[in-house]
Amino acid sequence: MTGIVLGIETSCDETGVGIVRCADDGTVTLLADEIASSVDEHARFGGVVPEVASRAHLEAMVPTVRRALRIAGLTPSDVDAVAVTAGPGLAGALLIGVAAAKAYAAAWDVPLFGVNHLTAHVAVDTLEHGPLPTALALLVSGGHSSLLEVSSLVEPLSPLGATVDDAAGEAFDKVARLLGLGFPGGPYIDRAARDGDPGSVRFPRGLTGPGDAPYDFSFSGLKTAVARHVEALVRDGISVPVADIAAAFQEAVVDVLTAKAIRAATDRGIDTLLIGGGVAANSRLRALAGQRCDAAGMRLRVPRPRLCTDNGAMVAALGAHLLAAGAPPSPLDIPADPSLSITTSLVGGSSSTTNRA
Ligand code: KG4
Ligand code: ZN
């Protein structure tokens, strides 16, 4: 089925509303991508405060939907389906989006698709690069870091490995904090690192020994190593070279991410690497992945940075693929599921692609 899909994202601190059009040939086109962020309200706490995020979603929801419709030049009667992030994420934040999506779907009398935030981070790439061939996906966000084999956006994703401790984005946020940079830390480290020397310190690369799980990640040892390094400098009265440390830390993260992703793809005979999630906005990750994919004869797909961090367009994109595939819509009593498994793309319904959570 073709049509217009409105997607709602509220899993963390961004109220995202995206609108896409799905054509007969399966092409999905972006019509609107509106975001209201509460990040400034969290910055002074150094992390997202769930209650503050929920309240901000509640206030931003209706105006953001209206803005997205206006920008797309559409009215509610043009919308053929509503998609929403059903999980994973912050419980109260998800609840606002799921409740709003149910209300819109009921009021507009259109199907509802409760989707997985992580699958949506993969699906968004089709807005920029078209239909997805079988790909090895490196999914790196504030809460998740995994390697997945993706053969279809409407089938359950099969994880090959994941972080055993901190997510990549979490490591960026924690190291930024200890370097006195802002929140969220990823973009600050990315910027600071441009003036730094990535070879100034060789920080540890977690789980890269011969006996280590080849597709799993570990970033907590790296974060501790950076903390010890900074403490030692401070103890010795040496001023902390923030740019150099940011660059050396970033290099350790992106070295491991790209090496493991390319190894996983090569091992499985997959020639396309897709990177998604907020950390995929990182300029050094994008550059190194490009170099290493070229060297390995692989194709790299990374959406533009704005589509890597949380947004409603990614949810609408996944909803459009589900609609086009004829997936059964979610019932209107689906819950928000803060710990929704990465293997569930669509919540509710009854086919093998779904899971009644
Ligand atoms: O996908 P996302 O927007 O939200 C979650 O689903 O978690 O990812 C947010 C994460 C944060 O940890 C943020 O610091 C990180 O993505 N991030 C970056 C960059 N932009 C955002 N990390 C490294 N470099 C960036 N340029
Ligand atoms: Zn995300």
Side-chain angles (χ1 to χ4, degrees):
M1 193 182 154
T2 59
I4 302 283
V5 180
L6 181 138
I8 295 177
E9 155 61 34
T10 62
S11 68
C12 194
D13 58 344
E14 320 282 0
T15 311
V17 178
I19 302 179
V20 302
R21 182 194 307 279
C22 178
D24 288 332
D25 64 358
T27 315
V28 183
T29 315
L30 183 59
L31 303 180
D33 177 20
E34 288 304 299
I35 290 178
S37 178
S38 60
V39 67
D40 294 343
E41 297 175 54
H42 308 288
R44 70 193 165 100
F45 300 105
V48 175
V49 184
E51 280 308 312
V52 173
S54 304
R55 183 166 293 272
H57 286 309
L58 193 56
E59 286 166 3
M61 180 56 60
V62 173
T64 312
V65 168
R66 286 196 177 137
R67 209 164 61 238
L69 284 168
R70 197 172 58 243
I71 284 172
L74 299 171
T75 65
S77 63
D78 297 315
V79 175
D80 297 298
V82 174
V84 63
T85 297
L90 300 171
L94 288 168
L95 209 54
I96 307 289
V98 169
K102 287 176 181 175
Y104 283 120
W108 298 343
D109 195 20
V110 295
L112 172 75
F113 292 104
V115 306
N116 191 309
H117 180 84
L118 303 169
T119 319
H121 268 308
V122 177
V124 73
D125 184 68
T126 60
L127 293 178
E128 198 163 335
H129 298 118
L132 188 65
T134 295
L136 195 289
L138 168 65
L139 193 55
V140 272
S141 71
H144 290 82
S145 303
S146 355
L147 287 171
L148 309 147
E149 181 168 341
V150 183
S151 47
S152 153
L153 290 166
V154 297
E155 298 289 332
L157 298 185
S158 36
L160 306 174
T163 182
V164 298
D165 41 52
D166 292 349
E170 197 179 349
F172 270 95
D173 296 340
K174 287 176 175 171
V175 166
R177 193 171 183 174
L178 69 89
L179 290 177
L181 299 172
F183 173 83
Y188 288 92
I189 298 237
D190 196 342
R191 264 196 304 277
R194 285 179 198 161
D195 302 320
D197 173 8
S200 59
V201 192
R202 167 117 191 143
F203 285 124
R205 270 71 168 156
L207 294 184
T208 51
D212 291 334
Y215 308 144
D216 283 343
F217 301 107
S218 168
F219 296 110
S220 90
L222 168 62
K223 172 198 66 192
T224 307
V226 177
R228 296 287 165 273
H229 184 77
V230 170
E231 280 162 24
L233 292 172
V234 171
R235 202 172 43 238
D236 296 344
I238 300 168
S239 78
V240 177
V242 171
D244 283 347
I245 294 177
F249 158 77
Q250 179 175 269
E251 198 62 22
V253 176
V254 307
D255 180 18
V256 173
L257 291 177
T258 51
K260 290 198 174 222
I262 288 189
R263 169 157 179 199
T266 310
D267 288 353
R268 303 181 80 80
I270 299 172
D271 64 2
T272 300
L273 171 63
L274 185 155
I275 312 185
V279 179
N282 183 268
S283 61
R284 179 62 186 145
L285 174 59
R286 300 168 77 94
L288 188 61
Q291 284 166 22
R292 289 185 172 175
C293 279
D294 282 351
M298 288 173 54
R299 240 170 66 83
L300 174 65
R301 293 173 59 132
V302 201
R304 56 183 176 270
R306 153 100 189 195
L307 293 179
C308 293
T309 47
D310 290 351
N311 62 77
M314 66 192 220
V315 179
L318 179 53
H321 289 292
L322 289 163
L323 184 72
S330 307
L332 283 181
D333 62 354
I334 54 160
D337 184 350
S339 49
L340 185 64
S341 159
I342 199 164
T343 57
T344 301
S345 296
L346 170 62
V347 177
S350 53
S351 87
S352 62
T353 64
T354 63
N355 172 40
R356 186 176 286 274

